Amino acid sequence: MKSIYYLLTCVLILSVSCKSQSYEKTASGIKTTIDSTVVEVRFYTPGIVRIIKSLPGETVEKKSLSVVKEAETVPLNVTESDSTISLLSDVLTVKVNTRTGAVSYLSANGDALLTEKAGSTAFTRFNDAGNETYSVKQSFTLDPNEAIYGLGILQNGKMSQRNQKVHMVQNNTCDFSTFFQSVKGYGLFWDNYSPTDFTDNEAGTEFASEVGDCIDYYFMYGKNADGVVAEMRDLTGKVPMFPLWTYGFWQSRERYKTQDETVGVVEKYRELGVPLDGIIQDWQYWGDNYHWNGMSFLNPGFPEPQKFVDDVHNLNAHLIISIWASFGPETPQYKELKEKNMLMDFQTWPQSGKDIWPPDMNYPSGVQVYDAFNPEARDIYWEYLDKGLFSLGIDGWWMDSTEPDHLDFKPKDFDNKTYLGSFRKVRNAFPLETVGGVYDHQRQVSSDKRVFILTRSGFAGQQRYGCNVWSGDLGSSWDSFRSQIPAGLNFTLTGNPNFNSDIGGFFAGAYNKSWSDGTAAKNPLFQELYVRWLQYGVFTPMMRSHGTDMKREIYYFGKQGEPVYDAIANAINLRYSLLPYIYTTSWDVASNNSSFMRALVMDFPADKKVWDMNSEYMFGQSLLVAPVMNAQYTPEKIVKVDEASGWNKGNAKTKEGFPAVDFTEVKSSPVYLPEGTAWYDFWTNEKFDGGQEIAKETTINTTPVYVKAGAILPIGPKVQYATEKKWDNLEIRIYEGADGEFTLYEDENDNYNYEKGVYSTITFKWNDADKTLTIGRRNGEFPGMLTERTFNIVLASKDKTKGNEIVSQPDKAVTYSGDEVVVKL
């Protein structure tokens, strides 16, 4: 009997021992094998967990291109039941089903967040340019009514990205990040750079990538949208600050053909008194296509490069210049990279050596894209950029075609070898690497000038590289325009806060078929679209006018006193008046992981009416922007117009032959005001309750903008460029109805001293019950800081408005020297 008891005891001990060894504890989680799949769970923080799945016997050594964070030491409680291994941190529970291998995620209080679909993990053998590897996919189960956001810059017009299939290969007008976040407060980053399909339908939500040695993804629980953005930036990199001047107005064109023409544009803006901070020099300053991207001024129209840069600077403006990820065969860069086997062989722009359209392929250009994944190639790229352009004092880089352009695609093109394997394997991370190469090198050689890069493509993690991504060469149409709000908001929700678009759309040829270039900007169909796009551009991180087919400078649209000209000038001036607010928001983005363009769901998640709203957003924490996104005065459809007849033969016409339009006629645009707060009309100070749709009266000179109750809004001086005047006489507007707080940020406006704490902040607090404003003690200091100034305090009210302007009637003028001041209003 004793022997039987002993035997049973041994079996029980052996059973318990076997169960305890069904997984292996690691430094940051566990590793186990389930159903012929190795599953590893690694906690990076209490709210961020990495899942790696591979096949037994495979060696997986992957260094992420996007992720820069090292795993922290996270206290975990690991338990096992009959069919589940559970890992609990302070904020997140991860459960691994030991029968199916499916991983599920719950909040600390047990709320279900996301679950892998059982049996959906898939490895399919794939030959990648001679390397035996796998195609990989994983599906998840979402709640039926769960809204998700992200995936990058898409031109589908959608806010929530449910119920669609997206083929992710970087291209001109779509920038893909394999990341989405949910209204439930979690995010998922699929860490793969090969061509990937995202599919969401009744069967599940799936990522499927063409190449992957393993399945590798990160789940993060931030509890809300800002929290998820913060965790994505913690994982893939923080956002550095841009200089103050980058937030002014930028004028560009495809293209200015001489240095005198470029400088002349800045001179004309100064003559007209219209603010301008930046001018952009587009391509062909290097000469012909065989010298493509030579990073030197070989074009006879630019005979004195240093004088060119100096002339722009002497007008208190800044210059950025076009550079590409490819080189023509007559450039020294091409020859050096070719010798070292650091070029890729596929068709890219431009295809012909002749600067004509369509390209004449009897004269192939020979332009090739360089291997941006190779650190030595990135060194070579910067060496020539530094010597040829940065040494002249050029202020920033317009990195065009960073997808890169891939024309006449053939599957074998993906077999091109890169430093990290086939081009197929790393395709979507090309913009991350090429932009990162320029940022890292400039940071190494200079701390006096902040890196500023305007680029056409982006990927997860690129926010750490001082770049603003624009949405590509869009056609000029109302549909394209309407797509920009959800495109920018979804990009922001991937963790990338810096977005802009070509104001007016790039290809405007449909508006320019019947008139010479000098009068095309007076076409009322284009005028209405351009003005509305410009007004939207006021409330994006970069306000930049650019396009081809017609000139976009303000003086081509008319003259002062005419409705369209005045609407353009007023929009630009509005941008400059908001610079203290915008620059403070930039600091908030860099230091507190905030966002410029904020989908309404970020601030009003309880209001389900905003979950899928694609026509309004918050700009910073205080301003709700509802741009006029539909034509009110002209047909949206581009119709054939000739100078003799206008749209219809019966229409009245201007002297240029265009139909006459009264842009001062009052129209109406619908605006939804989210619930949970009261709102003030920015222009009239009229107050509205949230949770309702209202009709805003508009003319061509009106952008519907509303201010949240409790907001404290600084208004800057009237200037011609961002740093023309100090902020020693700011207007501080108080919007009653709730307590509020605003911290004004100031620094030297450029350089990286702010990273060392060389800046100051002043916090304003509004107590709505007591009607008191407390201006807190100034924290910090920097060279050139104002030690004494005046704040003009204004309580928003209807009697302080006249038309579309706030009448300067401060309730109190407060002298401030850095000590706390309490103002009773």
Side-chain angles (χ1 to χ4, degrees):
M1 186 69 180
K2 286 183 179 180
S3 62
I4 294 175
Y5 177 78
Y6 177 76
L7 181 62
L8 289 173
T9 301
C10 288
V11 170
L12 180 61
I13 291 172
L14 181 62
S15 174
V16 172
S17 175
C18 289
K19 179 178 285 188
S20 68
Q21 294 181 17
S22 66
Y23 64 88
E24 171 193 350
K25 278 192 174 183
T26 65
S28 55
I30 61 111
K31 189 174 184 179
T32 186
T33 300
I34 303 169
D35 194 23
S36 299
T37 301
V38 179
V39 181
E40 186 171 359
V41 181
R42 297 183 187 174
F43 272 80
Y44 273 53
T45 73
I48 302 175
V49 62
R50 180 184 183 187
I51 304 298
I52 306 171
K53 296 186 179 183
S54 58
L55 295 181
E58 298 285 348
T59 300
V60 177
E61 294 181 0
K62 176 188 170 185
K63 179 173 175 58
S64 177
L65 297 177
S66 293
V67 174
V68 294
K69 185 178 181 62
E70 298 291 337
E72 300 173 4
T73 300
V74 179
L76 294 174
N77 181 20
V78 182
T79 61
E80 184 176 12
S81 66
D82 289 340
S83 60
T84 304
I85 304 169
S86 299
L87 298 88
L88 288 77
S89 73
D90 290 342
V91 298
L92 184 64
T93 298
V94 179
K95 293 181 178 291
V96 182
N97 188 307
T98 55
R99 293 173 181 165
T100 66
V103 182
S104 58
Y105 306 90
L106 301 89
S107 67
N109 62 10
D111 292 337
L113 299 172
L114 180 68
T115 301
E116 291 181 354
K117 187 177 179 182
S120 67
T121 302
F123 293 83
T124 305
R125 290 196 175 276
F126 182 81
N127 186 294
D128 179 27
N131 178 47
E132 291 299 326
T133 183
Y134 302 95
S135 296
V136 294
K137 65 180 179 180
Q138 178 70 60
S139 295
F140 304 86
T141 299
L142 274 63
D143 293 343
N145 297 320
E146 183 178 348
I148 60 172
Y149 313 99
L151 304 182
I153 297 173
L154 279 65
Q155 301 297 335
N156 59 13
K158 292 171 64 70
M159 192 59 233
S160 175
Q161 299 299 319
R162 296 300 302 269
N163 303 310
Q164 63 169 323
K165 182 171 183 176
V166 180
H167 183 57
M168 296 182 163
V169 178
Q170 306 288 18
N171 63 61
N172 185 322
T173 59
C174 291
D175 304 318
F176 300 107
S177 289
T178 47
F179 170 90
F180 70 83
Q181 66 161 286
S182 165
V183 73
K184 293 169 73 172
Y186 70 81
L188 190 146
F189 172 46
W190 178 259
D191 195 11
N192 187 292
Y193 325 119
S194 70
T196 296
D197 286 330
F198 170 84
T199 305
D200 179 76
N201 54 34
E202 292 180 355
T205 304
E206 178 181 271
F207 282 108
S209 295
E210 199 164 319
V211 180
D213 297 330
C214 62
I215 289 171
D216 187 2
Y217 74 86
Y218 295 79
F219 178 92
M220 57 204 77
Y221 182 49
K223 301 182 181 179
N224 54 44
D226 280 305
V228 173
V229 165
E231 289 191 321
M232 188 59 176
R233 293 189 194 155
D234 185 28
L235 193 65
T236 63
K238 301 292 186 181
V239 181
M241 287 192 69
F242 292 148
L244 175 62
W245 51 264
T246 65
Y247 296 109
F249 177 63
W250 286 82
Q251 184 63 63
S252 180
R253 187 200 304 166
E254 189 285 302
R255 56 189 163 86
Y256 301 122
K257 297 183 179 180
T258 69
Q259 66 185 68
D260 289 342
E261 183 181 20
T262 309
V263 174
V265 172
V266 184
E267 291 174 334
K268 186 66 173 177
Y269 271 82
R270 294 289 180 254
E271 176 188 328
L272 293 171
V274 177
L276 180 75
D277 260 274
I279 192 78
I280 302 176
Q281 181 58 55
D282 206 343
W283 59 7
Q284 297 297 46
Y285 61 89
W286 50 70
D288 58 55
N289 289 349
Y290 300 112
H291 292 86
W292 186 264
N293 194 36
M295 298 175 178
S296 58
F297 291 89
L298 303 179
N299 188 320
F302 299 84
E304 299 177 279
Q306 188 63 67
K307 182 177 184 300
F308 177 31
V309 177
D310 292 344
D311 285 348
V312 172
H313 288 169
N314 289 336
L315 290 164
N316 297 299
H318 293 80
L319 174 68
I320 68 174
I321 198 164
S322 172
I323 56 175
W324 290 59
S326 54
F327 296 99
E330 295 302 317
T331 62
Q333 296 97 318
Y334 179 100
K335 294 172 183 177
E336 184 172 352
L337 291 164
K338 185 75 170 178
E339 182 181 350
K340 296 182 176 182
N341 198 29
M342 296 176 182
L343 295 172
M344 290 188 280
D345 184 19
F346 55 82
Q347 289 291 306
T348 193
W349 176 269
Q351 292 173 286
S352 174
K354 290 186 173 182
D355 191 14
I356 59 173
W357 184 261
D360 185 347
M361 294 309 294
N362 291 311
Y363 303 90
S365 70
V367 172
Q368 290 190 333
V369 173
Y370 87 112
D371 179 8
F373 301 97
N374 190 318
E376 185 181 356
R378 296 195 298 268
D379 290 345
I380 293 168
Y381 191 98
W382 174 257
E383 177 187 347
Y384 285 97
L385 184 60
D386 185 16
K387 179 174 61 178
L389 297 176
F390 190 60
S391 62
L392 296 173
I394 287 174
D395 301 295
W397 313 112
W398 184 6
M399 298 188 69
D400 209 339
S401 188
T402 47
E403 310 82 51
D405 273 314
H406 191 165
L407 309 175
D408 299 336
F409 170 76
K410 300 176 181 60
K412 69 179 182 63
D413 292 346
F414 278 160
D415 292 343
N416 268 271
K417 298 294 185 181
T418 78
Y419 183 78
L420 297 178
S422 75
F423 187 40
R424 178 184 297 105
K425 182 178 181 180
V426 291
R427 173 69 182 91
N428 284 332
F430 188 93
L432 176 71
E433 294 296 281
T434 190
V435 169
V438 172
Y439 176 86
D440 285 341
H441 280 93
Q442 186 173 329
R443 286 298 311 259
Q444 289 169 9
V445 302
S446 174
S447 293
D448 295 331
K449 181 183 291 189
R450 295 178 196 166
V451 181
F452 180 64
I453 296 170
L454 170 66
T455 188
R456 199 173 75 182
S457 194
F459 189 69
Q462 202 164 312
Q463 73 279 351
R464 66 181 182 256
Y465 289 139
C467 64
N468 194 310
V469 181
W470 98 91
S471 54
D473 299 340
L474 304 171
S476 298
S477 73
W478 287 91
D479 282 341
S480 289
F481 174 37
R482 281 188 284 267
S483 294
Q484 298 320 292
I485 289 182
L489 295 177
N490 276 291
F491 188 58
T492 293
L493 286 162
T494 69
N496 281 273
N498 290 306
F499 168 86
N500 74 107
S501 62
D502 289 345
I503 289 174
F506 181 72
F507 292 109
Y511 292 98
N512 194 30
K513 290 181 177 177
S514 303
W515 305 282
S516 66
D517 195 48
T519 62
K522 293 185 180 178
N523 177 353
L525 284 82
F526 184 72
Q527 286 180 335
E528 185 176 10
L529 174 64
Y530 180 80
V531 169
R532 294 309 191 194
W533 208 318
L534 185 85
Q535 291 168 340
Y536 156 71
V538 172
F539 302 97
T540 60
M542 185 180 188
M543 184 184 184
R544 180 185 60 90
S545 170
H546 177 70
T548 190
D549 300 315
M550 66 173 66
K551 297 175 181 177
R552 313 295 177 89
E553 292 77 15
I554 186 173
Y555 39 88
Y556 289 106
F557 287 87
K559 58 186 179 182
Q560 187 174 3
E562 295 176 353
V564 171
Y565 180 102
D566 288 351
I568 294 171
N570 289 340
I572 295 171
N573 278 298
L574 173 61
R575 174 74 172 197
Y576 279 83
S577 72
L578 293 173
L579 282 182
Y581 175 77
I582 293 170
Y583 198 53
T584 294
T585 299
S586 175
W587 169 72
D588 198 26
V589 168
S591 62
N592 301 318
N593 291 307
S594 189
S595 300
F596 286 101
M597 300 177 66
R598 302 175 58 81
L600 294 185
V601 69
M602 298 180 77
D603 294 296
F604 307 99
D607 187 347
K608 291 187 176 181
K609 291 182 180 178
V610 307
W611 282 15
D612 200 24
M613 188 163 286
N614 63 356
S615 58
E616 303 177 14
Y617 61 100
M618 296 293 291
F619 185 62
Q621 303 286 343
S622 300
L623 299 178
L624 183 147
V625 187
V628 178
M629 307 292 289
N630 297 279
Q632 296 176 317
Y633 298 92
T634 63
E636 284 197 3
K637 183 178 180 181
I638 302 172
V639 295
K640 182 176 175 62
V641 182
D642 70 45
E643 295 175 352
S645 63
W647 297 321
N648 297 296
K649 290 185 178 180
N651 280 5
K653 292 175 285 294
T654 67
K655 63 181 181 180
E656 293 90 359
F658 300 114
V661 177
D662 181 7
F663 282 122
T664 65
E665 184 180 346
V666 176
K667 302 291 185 177
S668 178
S669 185
V671 178
Y672 178 74
L673 301 174
E675 65 183 22
T677 185
W679 298 93
Y680 288 81
D681 186 313
F682 178 83
W683 305 108
T684 68
N685 285 336
E686 186 176 1
K687 188 177 179 182
F688 299 89
D689 292 330
Q692 63 171 323
E693 182 176 289
I694 62 171
K696 168 62 180 173
E697 288 189 350
T698 63
T699 67
I700 197 66
N701 199 16
T702 312
T703 309
V705 180
Y706 292 81
V707 189
K708 188 167 61 174
I712 301 171
L713 189 64
I715 301 296
K718 187 174 177 60
V719 293
Q720 295 303 295
Y721 54 93
T723 58
E724 182 186 12
K725 298 177 184 177
K726 290 183 177 291
W727 295 346
D728 54 357
N729 202 34
L730 290 183
E731 180 179 307
I732 307 296
R733 296 184 188 171
I734 310 296
Y735 293 85
E736 301 175 78
D739 292 342
E741 182 174 320
F742 179 84
T743 298
L744 178 70
Y745 172 88
E746 296 170 293
D747 64 14
E748 296 171 273
N749 300 325
D750 208 338
N751 74 43
Y752 286 99
N753 288 338
Y754 77 90
E755 293 182 339
K756 305 171 186 176
V758 183
Y759 63 85
S760 75
T761 58
I762 303 170
T763 298
F764 298 76
K765 293 184 178 180
W766 172 248
N767 185 309
D768 198 59
D770 294 341
K771 304 302 178 190
T772 59
L773 176 69
T774 300
I775 306 175
R777 182 180 179 83
R778 182 179 56 235
N779 290 315
E781 59 183 8
F782 59 90
M785 179 184 71
L786 289 168
T787 56
E788 188 167 310
R789 67 206 302 173
T790 299
F791 290 123
N792 296 300
I793 314 302
V794 177
L795 279 178
S797 61
K798 289 185 69 174
D799 63 359
K800 297 196 179 94
T801 65
K802 183 179 180 181
N804 270 352
E805 293 185 3
I806 304 293
V807 178
S808 294
Q809 293 181 352
D811 291 87
K812 283 198 177 178
V814 177
T815 300
Y816 179 80
S817 302
D819 294 325
E820 181 179 296
V821 177
V822 179
V823 184
K824 180 72 174 178
L825 295 167

